[in-house]
Amino acid sequence: MGLITSVLGIIGFVIGIPIGLIIGFFFLIYSQPTHDEYPPARPLVETSISVLLDLLPDIPLWMKNPDYERVDWFNKFLSYMWPYLDKAICGIIQSSAQPIFADYIGKFCIESIEFEKLSLGALPPIVHGVKVYETNEKELLFEPSIKWAGNPNIVLVLKVLSLRIRVQLVDFQFFATMRVALKPLVPTFPCFGMVVVSLMEKPHVDFGLKVLGGDLMSIPGLYRYVQETIKRQVSSMYHWPQVLEIPILDASTASVKKPVGLLHVNIIRACNLLKKDLLGTSDPYVKLSLTGEKLPAKKTTIKKRNLNPEWNEHFKLVVKDPKSQVLQLEVFDWDKVGGHDRLGMQMIPLQKINPGEKKVFNLDLIKNSNVVMDFGDKKKRGRLELDLRYVPFREESLKSRNENQDEYQRKESRDEKSSEEDDFLSHAGLLSVAIQSAKDVEGKKKHSNPYAVVLFRGEKKKTKMLKKTRDPRWNEEFQFTLEEPPVKESIRVEVMSKGTGFHFRSKEELGHVDINLDDVVDNGRINQKYHLINSRNGIIHIEIHWTTS
């Protein structure tokens, strides 16, 4: 009987498998699925608003906003570096918290405060997208959207009246969109002076707080109060336009020295100069410059056959550091052929001059600036008489000056020593023109070696020529010392291209722009991009400053 049962079972298994496969095949082909069990797939645009609102928090920012870019590579880099960043950040937190803890020891019966455990956990923050802005300033500006749902292990132990109280931070979450600026951009590694961070909206901060093993946030009303307090405090400190500045480079390294004033030099006369010509005379002139400047030196006129010349010539020199710069004065004998002979020199540190004060100097000329070598030279080289006045710049516009004109007039009425010269100095200033870059400059000829030419009041200044580019970056600044504000005047900037090799004589204008300086005088500064005239798509970036003394 058992044998018959086994045989029938084998036969049923062999026959049942083919029959089951055939029935299943026909059922799959001819059966229709019911919509009640499997809802149809719909396009996202046909989805209801309530469903979309549920999905939006999970959609990455780079999908919702096309201005934001994906940074998967950075998130992967951050995940690899997170164990090391965790230890480094915790070390900074611990060292920064020690002085704060020390201030509370002895107060409120607190005997000690210390970290029992300090770790940011194994889950790094995630950057959901980055939006980069293009500005006219020397900075790199971007907005990262950061989400961090971490599992930190931070336990703080307070010892109060010999009782140890353990406070633990758990389930920490932080969501924020912040604006980060790397500025100013400088030619010193890492090429920016500081990091400026601000929040663009109130951050989302959520966490649990356990005290003696119990969840403190479960107390009714306390959770919402703590949440709103933290958001309000963080926003008041770092919500834009409030910023957090993190210095990266030393201030002396990161800062680019800017003009801070004008040195007015009046070369009056010289007497008893050396005789360098065969006829027992000299053809003197004075050459003057400031140390630390790459600008060409100023020169007086040449007084032919005169050992006691009188010039009474006025010069203006741009000062960047009055504490360290020195005025160099050199008297030369002009020769028609060959080099000019130096009759003598003298140096005046600017720190000896009080701002706004006119000081007269009557100096004995020396052979050179080396005191040791000059000590043995007993030859009298004559004297040079001049007066100096250092006038610092006022960082204000002409509008503010007009608003305070009555105050100035009252001050001048009380000052009996005011003169036409003082009025002349009050209107003098410095016009700084910075040619930053250009884009899409092209001409009809084959060569594209652009350079910029600045034309103002008959002066012509050029940038360096950059070869084989349509998007040049010059970053060069030119300065014009003026006796009065350039009201109702304009400055022209031309972009030219010059051939090289066999075509070195070939020049072509790629475009130009005329800039009215009234806005510069009124506002003190403009920083804009201009479309080049006579150019198809050319754009030039120019920054102009006007500072008055």
Side-chain angles (χ1 to χ4, degrees):
M1 193 69 182
L3 180 61
I4 297 175
T5 303
S6 300
V7 172
L8 292 177
I10 293 172
I11 294 173
F13 179 76
V14 172
I15 297 175
I17 289 178
I19 294 175
L21 291 175
I22 293 172
I23 294 174
F25 175 76
F26 279 97
F27 181 78
L28 179 65
I29 296 298
Y30 294 102
S31 64
Q32 296 293 333
T34 59
H35 294 287
D36 296 336
E37 297 181 2
Y38 304 101
R42 296 178 180 177
L44 196 61
V45 293
E46 298 180 3
T47 309
S48 63
I49 297 178
S50 59
V51 176
L52 279 177
L53 291 176
D54 294 335
L55 291 175
L56 278 176
D58 299 325
I59 297 176
L61 192 60
W62 55 267
M63 293 183 62
K64 294 185 288 186
N65 193 333
D67 293 337
Y68 281 80
E69 300 178 3
R70 298 179 62 177
V71 284
D72 295 339
W73 63 270
F74 182 78
N75 291 324
K76 185 176 293 187
F77 167 79
L78 193 60
S79 64
Y80 287 141
M81 291 294 295
W82 184 245
Y84 307 97
L85 291 173
D86 178 18
K87 294 180 180 179
I89 296 173
C90 289
I92 296 174
I93 293 174
Q94 195 157 13
S95 61
S96 302
Q98 290 299 330
I100 301 175
F101 293 163
D103 293 340
Y104 285 93
I105 294 177
K107 299 179 181 179
F108 311 106
C109 301
I110 298 176
E111 297 179 3
S112 65
I113 306 175
E114 59 183 8
F115 285 107
E116 184 179 280
K117 296 179 180 179
L118 181 57
S119 174
L120 300 182
L123 300 177
I126 297 177
V127 182
H128 279 243
V130 173
K131 184 177 181 180
V132 181
Y133 290 89
E134 183 179 354
T135 67
N136 293 337
E137 307 297 333
K138 293 182 179 180
E139 64 180 6
L140 176 61
L141 188 65
F142 58 95
E143 290 182 2
S145 176
I146 299 176
K147 292 187 177 182
W148 183 29
N151 56 346
N153 186 12
I154 301 176
V155 179
L156 190 67
V157 177
L158 289 81
K159 191 174 182 181
V160 182
L161 298 176
S162 301
L163 178 65
R164 292 172 57 87
I165 301 177
R166 299 176 76 255
V167 181
Q168 184 178 7
L169 180 70
V170 295
D171 300 331
F172 182 80
Q173 295 183 5
F174 177 80
F175 304 156
T177 299
M178 56 185 63
R179 174 170 291 180
V180 182
L182 309 180
K183 64 179 185 180
L185 302 180
V186 295
T188 303
F189 189 81
C191 299
F192 55 90
M194 68 173 64
V195 179
V196 181
V197 182
S198 59
L199 297 174
M200 302 310 296
E201 57 188 16
K202 287 187 177 181
H204 170 76
V205 182
D206 190 9
F207 60 90
L209 199 63
K210 290 185 177 181
V211 179
L212 298 176
D215 190 359
L216 193 64
M217 292 298 153
S218 61
I219 299 176
L222 181 62
Y223 175 78
R224 182 176 295 276
Y225 173 77
V226 172
Q227 291 286 320
E228 294 299 325
T229 302
I230 292 176
K231 288 182 180 180
R232 185 166 56 252
Q233 291 296 326
V234 174
S235 297
S236 64
M237 291 188 295
Y238 304 122
H239 198 292
W240 191 85
Q242 305 294 331
V243 297
L244 170 65
E245 295 184 352
I246 305 173
I248 302 298
L249 293 177
D250 183 69
S252 60
T253 305
S255 61
V256 179
K257 290 185 178 180
K258 295 292 184 180
V260 296
L262 287 178
L263 179 66
H264 297 264
V265 184
N266 183 26
I267 305 296
I268 302 174
R269 65 178 63 89
C271 60
N272 300 325
L273 297 177
L274 292 179
K275 303 174 183 178
K276 287 292 184 178
D277 293 344
L278 296 177
L279 299 178
T281 60
S282 293
D283 304 323
Y285 69 91
V286 181
K287 185 177 178 181
L288 57 155
S289 63
L290 287 174
T291 57
E293 280 291 339
K294 298 181 179 179
L295 298 175
K298 306 280 188 179
K299 296 179 182 179
T300 66
T301 56
I302 301 170
K303 299 296 182 180
K304 295 292 187 68
R305 297 181 294 277
N306 197 336
L307 298 180
N308 300 285
E310 290 197 11
W311 286 285
N312 289 315
E313 296 183 15
H314 183 267
F315 301 91
K316 295 185 290 291
L317 302 178
V318 179
V319 179
K320 293 184 177 179
D321 189 357
K323 294 183 179 180
S324 63
Q325 284 187 294
V326 177
L327 175 64
Q328 293 181 334
L329 300 159
E330 298 176 287
V331 183
F332 286 90
D333 172 41
W334 179 83
D335 289 326
K336 192 172 184 180
V337 179
H340 301 174
D341 299 323
R342 187 163 70 175
L343 302 178
M345 68 164 299
Q346 193 53 264
M347 305 179 71
I348 304 176
L350 297 190
Q351 60 183 359
K352 292 184 177 181
I353 308 170
N354 296 326
E357 178 184 345
K358 182 178 180 181
K359 193 168 184 179
V360 179
F361 292 87
N362 200 341
L363 307 171
D364 290 321
L365 296 177
I366 58 178
K367 184 177 181 180
N368 51 53
S369 59
N370 193 326
V371 179
V372 178
M373 295 180 62
D374 191 70
F375 183 76
D377 183 39
K378 302 298 183 180
K379 184 185 295 186
K380 293 185 179 181
R381 299 177 175 273
R383 300 177 67 85
L384 178 65
E385 184 179 350
L386 70 156
D387 63 69
L388 303 178
R389 176 178 292 188
Y390 168 60
V391 183
F393 286 140
R394 287 198 302 263
E395 289 293 341
E396 60 181 12
S397 65
L398 190 61
K399 289 182 179 179
S400 61
R401 291 181 63 187
N402 292 337
E403 292 173 357
N404 299 329
Q405 186 175 6
D406 295 337
E407 180 182 352
Y408 292 150
Q409 289 177 353
R410 288 193 299 268
K411 182 177 180 181
E412 290 177 357
S413 64
R414 293 192 300 265
D415 188 2
E416 298 179 356
K417 296 182 180 180
S418 62
S419 61
E420 294 182 0
E421 181 183 4
D422 296 330
D423 184 66
F424 161 74
L425 294 177
S426 66
H427 289 85
L430 179 70
L431 184 69
S432 302
V433 182
I435 309 298
Q436 304 288 2
S437 61
K439 189 175 181 181
D440 294 333
V441 291
E442 56 181 339
K444 299 179 181 179
K445 299 182 180 180
K446 294 182 179 180
H447 57 76
S448 181
N449 307 312
Y451 64 95
V453 180
V454 181
L455 303 171
F456 180 66
R457 289 188 177 180
E459 293 189 59
K460 185 176 182 180
K461 300 186 178 183
K462 300 179 182 180
T463 67
K464 58 181 178 293
M465 183 180 67
L466 301 180
K467 295 182 179 181
K468 297 180 180 180
T469 179
R470 294 181 178 178
D471 303 318
R473 288 184 175 271
W474 295 291
N475 293 322
E476 294 189 35
E477 183 174 342
F478 305 101
Q479 297 171 347
F480 302 88
T481 54
L482 308 179
E483 298 177 359
E484 57 185 12
V487 181
K488 297 182 180 180
E489 293 190 67
S490 63
I491 189 170
R492 168 170 284 211
V493 179
E494 299 177 351
V495 180
M496 306 290 294
S497 178
K498 184 178 180 181
T500 57
F502 294 104
H503 305 281
F504 68 94
R505 290 183 174 272
S506 176
K507 290 184 181 180
E508 180 184 10
E509 180 181 331
L510 305 181
H512 70 273
V513 62
D514 294 310
I515 303 173
N516 194 317
L517 297 179
D518 287 346
D519 291 340
V520 183
V521 176
D522 290 342
N523 302 315
R525 174 180 180 264
I526 59 172
N527 187 10
Q528 295 181 11
K529 293 181 179 179
Y530 300 90
H531 289 277
L532 291 171
I533 302 174
N534 297 333
S535 176
R536 183 182 300 175
N537 300 312
I539 296 175
I540 188 168
H541 180 197
I542 302 174
E543 182 179 0
I544 305 178
H545 288 263
W546 167 249
T547 47
T548 57
S549 57

